[in-house]
């Protein structure tokens, strides 16, 4: 990013991860940041807002923040004023250009999906860079189901090419998710076992020990499947199951992920359990429907576990158990790969070998295996090889997910952007299940108490 570049944060009260890239010295001196939002704020108000989001606990951090603020400015979007605010944005960006130099423009859409199309049209009409690259950056959700996702793409297509659209799934920026390919393809001992001949099942889970915490109104329109499973868990599954790409280029990597997702049949309700959390007996933790913004008759799932299969020779008959939920007993995200039982009759009471990739918290890779119990008798004991980053790597520098993804976006590296083909394939997997769960009023999520571990399995 050594050339003239501008980052426009649409919905400037949203993500400000660019400040972390500044701390790492990864932003060009010529890069400028413009907040662009309907909230009426002066430049000083904008800086004060950012102060509340930034760690300034040391003089060094204070100096970083002051330098960061010198890059920043703010424009209040004048609603019902047509293109006027977008023309003002264009003029502001052009004021940063010196002579004949080119300028790259990155538009970060921290906005409600309902206005994606209208705003993207105005950006292209008024702010598209004529002498540099333009890029529009979206966060999930990308549609509500397959039909709406396809429709969204069709409406963006006349104005923005696929090579100019960066779709963020922030789980792709997490260190341990990025590590999946290295573990698979950089270690022959895992590669030799990575198939249905050796693996019994794969469990991919993301659970939280908090509820919707005042976001019930938003969550009720989304549910746990759209919020987590159709995007985060599917991307993890794709990285776990795809064939080795021809290279780690964006094109090859995204092509292999899309290819394996097309081999996953639509999920079935008979292999799915949905739940909704209720208040604790002591009333300390409220239930989902206790939120004032949630309808009393809501059938929104706050927990779901389901089983997916990949229809190819490598993964024949291997169940992939996907699980996600709120208000459970603990917060964690992990991949648990369970190998088949040993067939050696002389060894008794052995446990399944398991490879566990802990994505968060406490990033780790653990291998559960059997060993001989010390002593004169042949007895086995389960033991564990443990690579916990914070224990084995001194002061591990683990970047935040958005930090990694935004840097990729600014550099034009699309390897961790969700492609249109991946998106369409993932919606094909989940849309029939969503329609069945939501369209059939006889399907009511099973209640579970806030903070209790769900014991139901498909």
């Amino acid at each position: 990013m050594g050339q003239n570049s501008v980052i426009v944060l649409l919905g400037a009260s949203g993500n400000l991860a660019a400040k972390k890239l500044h701390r790492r010295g990864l932003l060009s001196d010529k890069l400028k940041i413009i907040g662009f939002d309907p909230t009426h704020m002066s430049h000083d108000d904008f800086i004060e807002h950012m102060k509340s989001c930034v760690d300034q606990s040391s003089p060094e951090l204070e100096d970083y923040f002051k330098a960061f603020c010198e890059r920043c400015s703010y424009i209040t979007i004048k609603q019902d004023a047509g293109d006027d605010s977008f023309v003002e944005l264009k003029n502001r960006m052009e004021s940063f250009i010196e002579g004949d130099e080119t300028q790259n423009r990155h538009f970060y859409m921290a906005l409600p999906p309902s206005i994606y199309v209208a705003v993207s049209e105005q950006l292209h009409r008024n702010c598209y860079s004529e002498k540099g690259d333009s890029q529009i950056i979206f966060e999930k959700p990308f549609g509500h189901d397959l039909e709406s996702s396809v429709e969204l793409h069709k409406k963006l297509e006349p104005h923005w090419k696929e090579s100019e659209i960066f779709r963020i799934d922030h789980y792709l920026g997490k260190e341990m998710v990025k590590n999946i390919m290295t573990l698979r393809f950089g270690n022959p001992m895992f590669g030799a076992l990575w198939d249905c001949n050796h693996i019994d099942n794969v469990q991919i889970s993301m659970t939280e020990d908090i509820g919707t915490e005042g976001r019930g109104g938003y969550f009720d329109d989304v549910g746990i499947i759209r919020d987590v499973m159709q995007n985060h868990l599917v991307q993890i599954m794709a990285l776990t199951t795809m064939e080795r790409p021809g290279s780690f280029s964006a094109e090859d990597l995204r092509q292999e992920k899309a290819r394996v997702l097309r081999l996953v049949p639509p999920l079935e309700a008979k292999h799915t359990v949905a739940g909704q959390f209720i208040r604790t007996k002591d009333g300390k933790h409220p239930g989902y429907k206790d939120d004032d913004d949630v309808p009393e008759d809501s059938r929104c799932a706050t927990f779901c576990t389901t089983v997916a299969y990949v229809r190819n020779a490598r993964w024949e008959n291997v169940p992939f158990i996907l699980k996600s939920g709120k208000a459970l007993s603990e917060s964690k995200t992990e991949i648990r790969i369970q190998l088949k039982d040993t067939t050696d009759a002389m060894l008794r009471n052995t446990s399944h070998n398991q490879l566990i990739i802990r994505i968060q918290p406490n990033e780790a890779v653990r291998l559960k295996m059997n060993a001989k119990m010390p002593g004169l008798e042949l007895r086995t004991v389960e033991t564990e090889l443990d690579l916990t980053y914070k224990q084995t790597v001194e002061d591990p520098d683990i970047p935040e997910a958005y930090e990694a993804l935004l840097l990729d976006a600014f550099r034009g590296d699309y390897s961790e952007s969700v492609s249109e083909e991946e998106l369409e394939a993932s919606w094909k997997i989940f849309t029939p299940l969503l329609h069945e769960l939501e369209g059939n009023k006889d399907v009511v999520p099973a209640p579970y108490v806030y903070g209790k571990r769900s014991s139901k399995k498909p």
Side-chain angles (χ1 to χ4, degrees):
M1 294 188 67
Q3 65 187 105
N4 190 311
S5 299
V6 179
I7 303 169
V8 180
L9 299 173
L10 293 98
S13 57
N15 192 284
L16 291 172
K19 65 183 181 289
K20 299 183 178 68
L21 300 180
H22 172 81
R23 280 190 56 195
R24 291 176 179 266
L26 296 174
L27 300 182
S28 164
D29 292 339
K30 292 187 176 183
L31 181 135
K32 302 294 184 183
I33 298 171
I34 303 173
F36 193 59
D37 191 86
T39 305
H40 182 77
M41 283 193 287
S42 66
H43 174 77
D44 290 341
D45 292 335
F46 182 50
I47 299 304
E48 285 299 318
H49 167 70
M50 288 195 292
K51 279 185 179 179
S52 66
C53 305
V54 178
D55 178 12
Q56 299 183 74
S57 57
S58 69
E60 180 186 15
L61 293 176
E62 285 187 33
D63 291 341
Y64 275 126
F65 180 70
K66 288 177 182 177
F68 175 77
C69 290
E70 292 175 0
R71 303 175 178 274
C72 300
S73 60
Y74 185 83
I75 295 175
T76 300
I77 299 176
K78 302 176 183 65
Q79 295 178 312
D80 302 321
D83 288 354
D84 290 355
S85 297
F86 290 86
V87 172
E88 182 181 356
L89 174 60
K90 174 188 176 183
N91 294 335
R92 178 75 59 85
M93 292 189 292
E94 289 180 346
S95 71
F96 302 140
I97 299 175
E98 298 178 359
D100 295 329
E101 67 181 351
T102 61
Q103 183 182 74
N104 294 337
R105 297 172 181 176
H106 310 271
F107 303 102
Y108 188 99
M109 304 279 278
L111 298 169
S114 59
I115 61 174
Y116 276 174
V117 173
V119 172
S120 65
E121 289 177 355
Q122 289 174 303
L123 287 171
H124 188 273
R125 184 165 58 248
N126 297 287
C127 303
Y128 195 84
S129 181
E130 299 297 334
K131 294 184 178 181
D133 296 329
S134 292
Q135 179 189 65
I136 193 163
I137 304 170
F138 294 102
E139 290 193 59
K140 71 172 185 70
F142 314 111
H144 200 68
D145 55 13
L146 177 60
E147 182 180 357
S148 60
S149 178
V150 171
E151 184 66 19
L152 174 61
H153 176 74
K154 285 181 178 178
K155 290 180 178 179
L156 291 172
E157 196 172 27
H159 309 288
W160 297 90
K161 296 178 289 187
E162 176 67 12
S163 60
E164 296 172 327
I165 300 174
F166 195 103
R167 301 178 186 87
I168 282 184
D169 182 329
H170 76 273
Y171 261 69
L172 290 176
K174 290 187 177 293
E175 184 67 19
M176 292 308 297
V177 175
K178 292 160 71 75
N179 199 11
I180 292 172
M181 287 195 299
T182 303
L183 286 172
R184 285 192 60 187
F185 304 125
N187 296 287
M189 64 177 179
F190 292 142
L193 301 174
W194 217 265
D195 58 34
C196 61
N197 296 318
H198 301 92
I199 292 177
D200 182 77
N201 68 80
V202 179
Q203 302 166 46
I204 304 174
S205 63
M206 174 187 168
T207 61
E208 295 180 278
D209 61 4
I210 59 173
T212 49
E213 310 300 313
R215 295 174 62 246
Y218 160 79
F219 193 85
D220 205 65
D221 291 331
V222 179
I224 198 67
I225 294 177
R226 291 185 182 90
D227 194 42
V228 175
M229 302 179 77
Q230 179 271 332
N231 36 70
H232 303 333
L233 298 195
V234 161
Q235 284 294 320
I236 294 172
M237 180 178 172
L239 289 168
T240 304
T241 57
M242 70 179 188
E243 296 300 314
R244 185 187 185 104
S247 72
F248 288 156
S249 69
E251 181 179 359
D252 288 350
L253 176 57
R254 301 200 300 175
Q255 186 178 75
E256 286 300 334
K257 286 197 293 176
R259 181 176 289 126
V260 76
L261 290 178
R262 292 191 194 102
L263 298 174
V264 180
L267 300 174
E268 299 183 60
K270 67 181 180 181
H271 294 151
T272 302
V273 173
Q276 186 183 92
F277 68 86
I278 59 177
R279 74 168 68 92
T280 54
K281 288 184 178 180
D282 60 9
K284 183 178 179 181
H285 296 291
Y288 175 67
K289 293 180 184 177
D290 293 329
D291 190 313
D292 292 337
D293 295 326
V294 174
E296 293 183 2
D297 60 350
S298 172
R299 294 186 296 112
C300 176
T302 61
F303 168 88
C304 183
T305 182
T306 190
V307 180
Y309 291 90
V310 180
R311 300 303 187 196
N312 65 6
R314 179 184 292 275
W315 298 111
E316 184 177 6
N317 295 326
V318 175
F320 287 81
I321 302 167
L322 309 179
K323 181 174 77 171
S324 185
K326 292 184 174 292
L328 296 174
S329 59
E330 62 180 329
S331 292
K332 68 176 181 180
T333 304
E334 69 178 21
I335 310 166
R336 189 175 288 261
I337 300 169
Q338 183 165 294
L339 276 70
K340 293 184 176 180
D341 278 330
T342 178
T343 57
D344 195 331
M346 79 174 188
L347 294 175
R348 298 179 180 179
N349 301 320
T350 57
S351 301
H352 286 279
N353 289 162
Q354 292 187 52
L355 176 65
I356 302 167
I357 303 172
R358 173 63 68 89
I359 295 170
Q360 66 177 23
N362 301 321
E363 295 86 349
V365 178
R366 304 200 308 273
L367 180 62
K368 290 182 177 291
M369 55 189 294
N370 296 297
K372 178 184 175 297
M373 174 78 77
L376 298 175
E377 297 182 10
L378 181 58
R379 297 170 57 193
T380 60
V381 62
E382 184 180 75
T383 187
E384 187 174 278
L385 299 178
D386 187 353
L387 170 60
T388 299
Y389 273 36
K390 291 181 180 179
Q391 295 177 359
T392 57
V393 180
E394 185 177 354
D395 297 324
D397 184 15
I398 301 177
E400 293 188 16
Y402 279 106
E403 187 178 353
L405 291 175
L406 287 179
L407 181 59
D408 285 346
F410 301 155
R411 287 175 168 174
D413 180 355
Y414 281 73
S415 58
E416 290 170 359
S417 166
V418 179
S419 70
E420 178 196 357
E421 290 79 10
E422 293 172 73
L423 190 58
E424 181 176 336
S426 67
W427 276 123
K428 285 182 178 179
I429 296 169
F430 280 93
T431 293
L433 176 64
L434 284 166
H435 288 177
E436 184 168 354
L437 294 179
E438 296 170 350
N440 185 350
K441 293 185 178 180
D442 293 332
V443 177
V444 179
Y448 62 96
V449 178
Y450 192 121
K452 298 297 182 182
R453 185 184 184 94
S454 176
S455 60
K456 293 191 174 183
K457 295 182 181 181

